[in-house]
């Protein structure tokens, strides 16, 4: 009877299957301290709900967008991360001052003009149709060395990210404060123009000005007639053009007895990326810092959307860390010489975004400056008893979890990213090219399949590139490079891929080695420090001696990611490192590469992480669609917190905890549920009844 109920319950979920898969797959793309969109359910498939909009709501959303979006599309929103699914982590950093490396101006301009040419619906359909195939070819935790647990409690089932609102991330800044959106007011500044700048121009005038600003036509200027001519009206039009279209200058001209405001380019294309210095008050900090609240958008997507609405380049934004798509996230952003007034105006235009807590500062933000992230996570429909939950959460609070690199570090396709990284370190460039471009098993978008087939047939990069409507993916960038530099110069061709993405491959290999070695270390010596282990004193690693072993705990022990500037433990695990790298045709004593970018210095990483600020509660609920806690926006709108009944159809575990940077919340939740977090494992549990 119980089995029949499970099957019936699971069959009901199929109705939302296709709409859910895009979120299910996309959630694995996050990096560092973010959690994948995996449904952790024992014995039955539990994909996330699609949270799709009703037609009326979608129409309303489109109406709002149409009233705010520039008419001419520049492709920034749809061209956000320039990677395909098998590249974990963010694309090229967009911090202020960073530009493209390894690509010439022509390629850059081509990418700016490019449109994806694919609708989200079409992508969703393809992913849904090929999802069953993906089940057969993905990685499991065992494949990447994730094999151990630290706790002894019995595991239980739960659904993670059934709704993206079940997963909220608040950034912890360098001062230790948790970022919250709690103030939408704009700082009073006498230098700001009036609110009329947002309405004085017609839609047609905005379109013409944007085309001029983005060099979309051959016009050298745009003239706007001043109706109801007054000095005040002319001033507002001047201010509107200069503030809404950075890079344009204005002047007043008399033509046949009528007054015109003429807009023209002040400094060519560079003005787009470098707002005019003289338009910014000297007494005001050059950077406007703000808190960004976003729903179901990753950081790179969000930056691209903001830059599109503001009509500026994405590289004038900076931030401390990237955040997940399949979540609600709150983080600090800084932008160069854009006023809080303009940013606050976006709150009237954008759905699923809120900007607030504005301030002007002298400096941008830098990647890595954050102290970590605070997570609020709901695991719905849990099966564990209250005692099981109590044991699991007490263990997480008191002992912690193994600090493994999560599955998203290694990609979601049949060619793991660590294999590409290993080939780079081996200097096997033909293999690097083949691993990225060759046909592969498992689910992929149709255009990528056609591109790979063309490559396998002709080995003609130009012909394969023509099969790609989206050329900003890694495959497209590599094929561009091969077209430019030729098949005999794969190194330079590979260099066209943004540096951050190239380095992700070799970092993935380091992570693969680290995971395997930590599992061996825990298997060999358990959860206590032993002589020969490594601990950090400041930034320097030192060995634990026999007489000092009682002065340390397992939470002090670190292990190295392989490199030329690290030391290895003085026990059996040292030889295990050497054996693993030797088997991969790498020399552990010489981790320097002929190409400096690919030389690995190494680093140290704690093997056990104990989360901070851990709290939890089990709540009962009847409606799976209701939110189980308030967000920052809910609080701003004065919504009362949810009230729970003493009994309900379902039970949920609501968890709060803080983690340092570069740790994976996936691995903390894995420790609580005792579940394999890979897509392959979660789906193969359920393939029988899907057939």
């Amino acid at each position: 009877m119980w089995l029949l109920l499970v099957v019936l319950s699971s069959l009901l979920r199929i109705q939302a299957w296709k709409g859910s898969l895009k979120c299910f797959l996309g959630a694995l793309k996050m990096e560092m301290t973010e959690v994948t969109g995996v449904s952790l359910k024992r014995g039955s498939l539990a994909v996330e709900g699609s949270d799709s909009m009703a037609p009326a709501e979608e129409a309303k959303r489109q109406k709002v967008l149409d009233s705010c979006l520039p008419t001419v599309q520049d492709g920034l929103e749809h061209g956000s991360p320039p990677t395909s699914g098998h590249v974990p982590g963010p694309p090229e950093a967009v911090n202020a001052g960073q530009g493209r490396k390894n690509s010439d101006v022509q390629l850059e301009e081509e990418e700016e003009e490019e449109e994806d040419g694919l609708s989200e619906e079409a992508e969703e359909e393809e992913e849904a149709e090929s999802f069953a195939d993906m089940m057969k070819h993905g990685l499991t935790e065992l494949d990447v060395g994730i094999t151990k647990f630290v706790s002894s409690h019995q595991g239980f089932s739960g659904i993670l990210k059934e709704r993206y609102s079940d997963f909220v991330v608040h950034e912890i800044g360098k001062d230790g404060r948790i970022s919250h959106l709690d103030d939408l007011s704009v700082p009073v500044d006498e230098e700001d123009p009036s609110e009329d700048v947002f309405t004085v121009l017609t839609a047609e005038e905005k379109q013409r000005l944007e085309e001029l600003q983005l060099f979309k036509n051959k016009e050298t200027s745009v003239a706007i007639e001043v109706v109801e001519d007054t000095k005040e009206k002319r001033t507002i039009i001047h201010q509107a053009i200069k503030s809404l279209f950075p890079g344009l200058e204005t002047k007043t001209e008399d033509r046949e007895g009528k007054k015109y405001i003429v807009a023209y380019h002040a400094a060519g294309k560079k003005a787009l990326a470098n707002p005019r210095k003289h338009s910014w008050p000297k007494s005001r900090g050059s950077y406007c810092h703000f808190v960004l609240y976003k729903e179901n958008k990753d950081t790179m997507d969000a930056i691209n959307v903001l830059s599109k609405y503001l009509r500026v380049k994405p590289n004038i934004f900076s931030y401390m860390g990237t955040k997940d798509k399949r979540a609600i996230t709150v983080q600090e952003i800084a932008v160069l010489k854009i006023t809080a007034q303009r940013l606050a105006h976006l709150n009237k235009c954008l759905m699923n975004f809120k900007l607030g807590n504005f301030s002007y500062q002298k400096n941008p933000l830098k990647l890595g400056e954050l102290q970590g992230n605070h997570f609020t996570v709901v695991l719905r429909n849990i099966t564990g008893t209250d005692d099981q939950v109590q044991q699991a959460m007490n263990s997480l609070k008191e002992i912690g979890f193994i600090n493994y690199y999560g599955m998203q570090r290694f990609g979601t396709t049949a060619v793991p990213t660590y294999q590409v990284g290993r080939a780079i370190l081996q200097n096997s460039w033909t293999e690097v090219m083949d691993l990225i471009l060759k046909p592969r098993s498992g689910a992929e978008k149709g255009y990528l399949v056609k591109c790979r087939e063309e490559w396998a047939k002709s080995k003609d990069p130009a012909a394969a590139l023509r099969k790609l409507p989206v050329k900003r993916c890694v495959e497209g960038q590599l094929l561009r490079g091969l077209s430019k530099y030729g098949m005999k110069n794969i190194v330079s061709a590979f260099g066209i891929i943004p540096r951050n993405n190239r380095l992700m491959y070799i970092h993935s290999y380091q992570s693969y080695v680290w995971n395997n070695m930590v599992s061996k270390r825990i298997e060999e010596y358990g959860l206590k420090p032993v002589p020969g282990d490594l601990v950090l004193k400041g930034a320097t690693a030192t060995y634990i001696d026999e007489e000092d072993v009682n002065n340390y705990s397992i939470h002090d022990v670190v292990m190295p990611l392989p490199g030329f500037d690290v030391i290895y433990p003085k026990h059996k695990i040292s030889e295990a490192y050497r054996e693993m790298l030797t088997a991969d045709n790498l020399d552990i004593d010489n981790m320097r590469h002929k190409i400096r970018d690919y030389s690995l210095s190494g680093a140290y990483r704690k093997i056990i992480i104990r989360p901070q600020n851990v709290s939890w509660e089990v709540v009962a609920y009847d409606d799976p669609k209701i939110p189980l806690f308030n967000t920052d926006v809910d609080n701003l709108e004065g919504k009362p917190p949810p009230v729970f009944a003493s009994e309900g159809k379902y039970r949920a575990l609501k968890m709060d905890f803080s983690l340092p940077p570069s740790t994976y919340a996936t691995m903390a939740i894995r420790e609580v549920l005792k579940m394999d977090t890979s897509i392959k494992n979660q789906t193969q549990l359920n393939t029988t009844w899907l057939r």
Side-chain angles (χ1 to χ4, degrees):
M1 184 63 180
W2 177 84
L3 181 59
L4 178 61
L5 288 173
V6 170
V7 173
L8 287 173
S9 171
S10 300
L11 287 173
L12 288 173
R13 291 193 179 100
I14 293 180
Q15 301 303 316
W17 190 32
K18 284 191 176 182
S20 306
L21 291 171
K22 189 169 192 290
C23 301
F24 181 86
L25 298 171
L28 287 193
K29 295 178 183 176
M30 68 185 117
E31 184 56 24
M32 298 306 180
T33 56
E34 318 306 345
V35 173
T36 61
V38 177
S39 299
L40 303 177
K41 183 78 172 172
R42 290 180 184 268
S44 63
L45 182 63
V47 297
E48 294 91 354
S50 63
D51 295 320
S52 57
M53 288 186 184
E57 188 178 344
E58 179 61 31
K60 178 182 175 185
R61 179 176 185 269
Q62 191 58 46
K63 186 175 180 181
V64 173
L65 293 180
D66 289 344
S67 69
C68 301
L69 255 179
T71 308
V72 179
Q73 301 298 311
D74 62 8
L76 285 175
E77 181 175 2
H78 293 294
S80 39
T83 65
S84 62
H86 62 277
V87 181
E92 186 174 15
V94 296
N95 277 3
Q98 285 187 311
R100 277 180 199 271
K101 299 180 181 179
N102 307 306
S103 60
D104 59 16
V105 174
Q106 182 180 355
L107 288 177
E108 186 171 338
E109 290 178 357
E110 285 175 7
E111 290 199 1
E112 287 173 7
E113 296 294 327
E114 181 190 316
E115 296 284 354
D116 274 0
L118 290 177
S119 67
E120 287 194 5
E121 290 80 5
E123 290 181 8
E124 185 175 305
E125 185 85 9
E126 269 190 74
E127 285 172 347
E129 289 172 355
S130 53
F131 183 65
D133 191 37
M134 177 180 242
M135 297 176 186
K136 306 170 187 175
H137 302 285
L139 295 170
T140 66
E141 289 184 349
L142 181 63
D143 295 327
V144 295
I146 301 173
T147 60
K148 301 295 181 183
F149 295 94
V150 300
S151 56
S152 57
H153 73 272
Q154 182 180 349
F156 54 90
S157 300
I159 305 174
L160 172 62
K161 289 194 180 181
E162 183 172 36
R163 299 168 58 83
Y164 66 76
S165 54
D166 285 347
F167 187 78
V168 178
V169 186
H170 288 268
E171 190 171 71
I172 304 173
K174 55 186 176 182
D175 58 0
R177 288 188 299 178
I178 297 175
S179 291
H180 281 280
L181 182 76
D182 52 20
D183 183 4
L184 300 182
S185 65
V186 176
V188 177
D189 193 328
E190 294 178 0
E191 301 281 353
D192 284 338
S194 75
E195 285 288 321
D196 292 338
V197 298
F198 298 111
T199 57
V200 71
L201 298 171
T202 67
E204 181 185 357
E205 288 166 346
K206 288 180 180 178
Q207 178 177 342
R208 291 175 61 208
L209 288 165
E210 184 178 10
E211 288 174 349
L212 175 67
Q213 180 205 30
L214 298 176
F215 299 90
K216 295 282 187 179
N217 56 33
K218 295 181 180 179
E219 289 187 59
T220 57
S221 65
V222 168
I224 295 172
E225 183 182 353
V226 184
V227 183
E228 303 172 6
D229 178 34
T230 64
K231 185 178 180 181
E232 290 75 16
K233 182 72 174 288
R234 293 197 302 272
T235 299
I236 290 171
I237 295 175
H238 282 293
Q239 290 174 336
I241 294 171
K242 290 178 180 179
S243 62
L244 299 180
F245 301 92
L248 297 185
E249 287 290 357
T250 58
K251 59 185 177 182
T252 304
E253 288 186 0
D254 283 305
R255 297 182 182 179
E256 300 177 357
K258 296 180 180 179
K259 282 277 197 307
Y260 287 86
I261 306 296
V262 179
Y264 60 95
H265 273 287
K269 292 190 176 184
K270 290 185 178 178
L272 268 177
N274 301 291
R276 295 173 278 86
K277 293 181 180 178
H278 65 268
S279 67
W280 195 261
K282 292 182 180 179
S283 60
R284 180 197 285 166
S286 293
Y287 295 88
C288 185
H289 287 228
F290 61 96
V291 170
L292 173 65
Y293 169 104
K294 59 184 180 62
E295 299 180 1
N296 210 27
K297 281 275 187 190
D298 68 30
T299 300
M300 293 302 303
D301 278 335
I303 294 295
N304 283 329
V305 170
L306 295 178
S307 64
K308 183 174 190 171
Y309 277 77
L310 294 167
R311 302 179 181 89
V312 296
K313 293 291 188 182
N315 64 358
I316 70 171
F317 290 87
S318 57
Y319 50 86
M320 294 183 287
T322 57
K323 300 290 179 283
D324 182 20
K325 173 182 178 179
R326 180 80 177 153
I328 292 174
T329 66
V330 182
Q331 68 181 116
E332 189 174 352
I333 305 285
V335 61
L336 176 64
K337 294 183 179 178
I338 299 291
T339 64
Q341 183 188 37
R342 283 188 70 193
L343 293 168
H345 183 70
L346 296 180
N347 287 333
K348 301 174 183 177
C349 304
L350 297 175
M351 301 288 287
N352 301 328
F353 285 82
K354 280 288 184 198
L355 289 69
N357 297 81
F358 302 104
S359 65
Y360 293 107
Q361 308 287 340
K362 293 181 180 179
N363 299 310
L365 296 169
K366 294 180 181 178
L367 281 169
E369 282 185 331
L370 73 168
Q371 282 196 18
N373 293 283
H374 184 79
F375 297 87
T376 303
V377 179
V378 169
L379 300 175
R380 290 184 183 248
N381 201 15
I382 60 168
T383 61
T385 65
D386 287 346
D387 282 346
Q388 282 178 297
V389 171
Q390 186 78 9
Q391 289 174 23
M393 294 306 299
N394 277 332
S395 175
L396 184 68
K397 183 177 181 178
E398 294 166 11
I399 302 174
F401 62 96
I402 303 171
N403 194 19
Y404 287 125
Y405 288 94
M407 296 303 298
Q408 56 268 40
R409 185 75 162 185
F410 307 103
T412 58
T413 69
V415 178
T417 50
Y418 73 80
Q419 291 183 5
V420 180
R422 179 169 55 203
I424 293 170
L425 295 173
Q426 292 169 342
N427 226 25
S428 302
W429 291 102
T430 300
E431 184 181 356
V432 171
M433 178 179 67
D434 287 342
L435 284 169
I436 293 173
L437 296 177
K438 70 180 182 180
R440 57 184 62 176
S441 304
E444 278 201 310
K445 294 180 176 65
Y447 59 80
L448 271 176
V449 173
K450 291 174 183 176
C451 170
R452 297 188 192 285
E453 288 172 349
E454 177 61 40
W455 173 255
K457 180 178 70 176
S458 67
K459 286 293 191 288
D460 180 346
L465 192 60
R466 284 194 291 271
K467 302 289 185 181
L468 284 179
V470 182
K471 295 178 174 58
R472 271 172 287 208
C473 61
V474 165
E475 292 83 0
Q477 289 164 331
L478 179 55
L479 289 168
R480 281 179 188 268
L482 291 169
S483 297
K484 178 178 179 181
Y485 294 107
M487 300 284 286
K488 293 184 178 179
N489 194 352
I490 300 171
V491 173
S492 295
F494 184 70
I496 278 184
I497 297 170
R499 183 174 183 269
N500 280 6
N501 287 353
R502 288 183 278 122
L503 296 186
M504 277 296 172
Y505 287 121
I506 59 175
H507 293 161
S508 176
Y509 178 73
Q510 284 181 300
S511 306
Y512 170 70
V513 173
W514 194 90
N515 278 1
N516 278 279
M517 293 301 98
V518 166
S519 292
K520 285 184 179 292
R521 158 65 182 77
I522 291 173
E523 181 177 354
E524 188 70 33
Y525 299 111
L527 295 175
K528 63 182 189 301
V530 297
D533 272 336
L534 294 170
V535 293
L536 289 178
K537 292 186 176 178
T540 305
T542 61
Y543 295 107
I544 296 179
D545 296 326
E546 184 82 48
E547 58 271 18
D548 293 331
V549 74
N550 292 328
N551 296 329
Y552 298 101
S553 77
I554 194 65
H555 299 98
D556 299 313
V557 176
V558 298
M559 286 184 62
L561 284 87
F564 61 78
D565 198 26
V566 295
I567 59 175
Y568 296 89
K570 282 185 177 176
H571 47 51
K572 292 180 180 179
I573 306 306
S574 178
E575 189 55 35
Y577 272 98
R578 184 174 297 276
E579 289 172 359
M580 186 170 184
L581 267 68
T582 299
D584 286 339
N585 294 316
L586 294 171
D587 182 358
I588 197 171
D589 299 315
N590 182 18
M591 297 301 289
R592 294 185 186 274
H593 197 277
K594 293 178 182 177
I595 301 167
R596 186 176 178 182
D597 264 358
Y598 311 136
S599 290
L600 294 179
S601 60
Y604 299 99
R605 181 176 175 88
K606 287 193 171 183
I607 68 173
I608 302 291
I609 290 292
R610 185 161 45 195
Q612 301 299 306
N613 308 312
V614 179
S615 63
W616 68 92
E617 63 175 325
V618 175
V619 299
Y621 65 102
D622 292 318
D623 184 353
K625 294 182 180 179
I626 63 165
L628 299 182
F629 58 89
N630 272 7
T631 65
D632 283 357
V633 168
D634 292 333
N635 293 331
L636 278 169
E637 294 174 351
K639 289 185 180 178
V643 178
F644 303 109
S646 56
E647 293 185 5
K649 290 182 185 177
Y650 313 106
R651 294 162 65 246
L653 170 59
K654 177 176 172 283
M655 311 161 57
D656 278 271
F657 55 91
S658 299
L659 294 177
S662 302
T663 54
Y664 288 75
T666 334
M667 297 294 101
I669 293 166
R670 168 187 180 269
E671 187 69 41
V672 170
L673 296 177
K674 292 287 187 76
M675 296 291 293
D676 184 327
T677 59
S678 66
I679 286 182
K680 183 173 183 178
N681 184 69
Q682 294 304 310
T683 54
Q684 285 186 343
L685 288 173
N686 310 286
T687 52
T688 303
W689 60 266
L690 279 175
R691 291 195 182 102

